[in-house]
Amino acid sequence: MFAPWYYNAQAVVDADGTQLIVATNVATTPSDQPTFVETMALIDAELGTPKRVLGDAGYASGEAVTALKARGIEPLVAISSTQPQRPYDFRPPPDKDKPPRAIKDPWRIEMKEALETKEGRAMHKLRKQTVEPVFGILKSALGFRNSRLRGLEKVKSEWSLVALACNVKRMAKLRAETA
């Protein structure tokens, strides 16, 4: 029997202005949550432990937040979608009379409070300006929409090469900007 594999490519992008990909990971799960801590650990080996990591709602996991904090990393992860309905979503709009979901988990309450601060909002906005454009470049400029290889190790190698190509392109642009 054929079992389709779903490859979920992850990229950690430097948010300090370079937009360089500093770590990559690939998993065979459609969810981002199980790979969050593992992908962040890949940074340690090369660059040292980051002070803070930013993530969208797909990474929201109490276990991941706890594990990152135990390693001295401050996670700032959205606990819900920032856009309840996408403009191109043709499904009926959500019921406006329905009360918002109550937030009860302590880690979610803490994350919500952190993201409601002025610094938290600015940091989360920074995530949108660093990670999302990189994936846009990978898809549009480099034409990478899906893996051409099969097998987890081959897909990881291909994803690393694509990230390397993106970094070379970005470094050429950074060099031109500083010249």
Side-chain angles (χ1 to χ4, degrees):
M1 179 168 195
F2 174 71
W5 287 101
Y6 183 91
Y7 297 106
N8 184 345
Q10 303 288 316
V12 181
V13 179
D14 174 39
D16 286 333
T18 67
Q19 287 185 312
L20 291 172
I21 298 172
V22 296
T24 61
N25 194 13
V26 177
T28 55
T29 174
S31 175
D32 293 331
Q33 289 178 0
T35 61
F36 193 29
V37 176
E38 176 187 339
T39 304
M40 291 304 118
L42 296 171
I43 300 171
D44 293 355
E46 300 297 324
L47 302 172
T49 305
K51 292 182 176 102
R52 179 181 292 148
V53 294
L54 310 171
D56 62 23
Y59 294 100
S61 159
E63 291 175 18
V65 167
T66 302
L68 290 170
K69 284 184 174 183
R71 291 182 37 221
I73 300 171
E74 177 192 356
L76 280 176
V77 183
I79 57 169
S80 64
S81 176
T82 56
Q83 194 174 25
Q85 183 160 9
R86 296 178 177 153
Y88 53 83
D89 191 349
F90 298 106
R91 294 175 292 184
D95 185 8
K96 295 187 189 279
D97 295 331
K98 185 178 177 182
R101 191 173 97 189
I103 300 172
K104 298 177 184 173
D105 295 329
W107 75 269
R108 286 186 184 271
I109 293 168
E110 182 182 341
M111 213 44 60
K112 183 177 187 282
E113 290 170 356
L115 288 168
E116 287 177 345
T117 66
K118 187 175 179 179
E119 182 185 14
R121 282 192 305 273
M123 292 303 295
H124 201 262
K125 188 176 179 180
L126 183 63
R127 186 202 67 77
K128 293 177 187 178
Q129 297 169 356
T130 56
V131 176
E132 301 305 331
V134 169
F135 276 96
I137 290 165
L138 290 169
K139 290 178 179 180
S140 297
L142 297 180
F144 187 80
R145 296 204 172 267
N146 58 3
S147 178
R148 277 65 167 179
L149 302 175
R150 294 297 171 254
L152 184 58
E153 291 309 313
K154 289 179 182 176
V155 172
K156 281 184 177 184
S157 296
E158 184 179 19
W159 183 236
S160 293
L161 286 172
V162 169
L164 177 64
C166 184
N167 279 349
V168 168
K169 183 177 176 58
R170 182 66 184 146
M171 287 176 9
K173 184 172 182 174
L174 289 170
R175 186 172 196 167
E177 288 173 1
T178 60

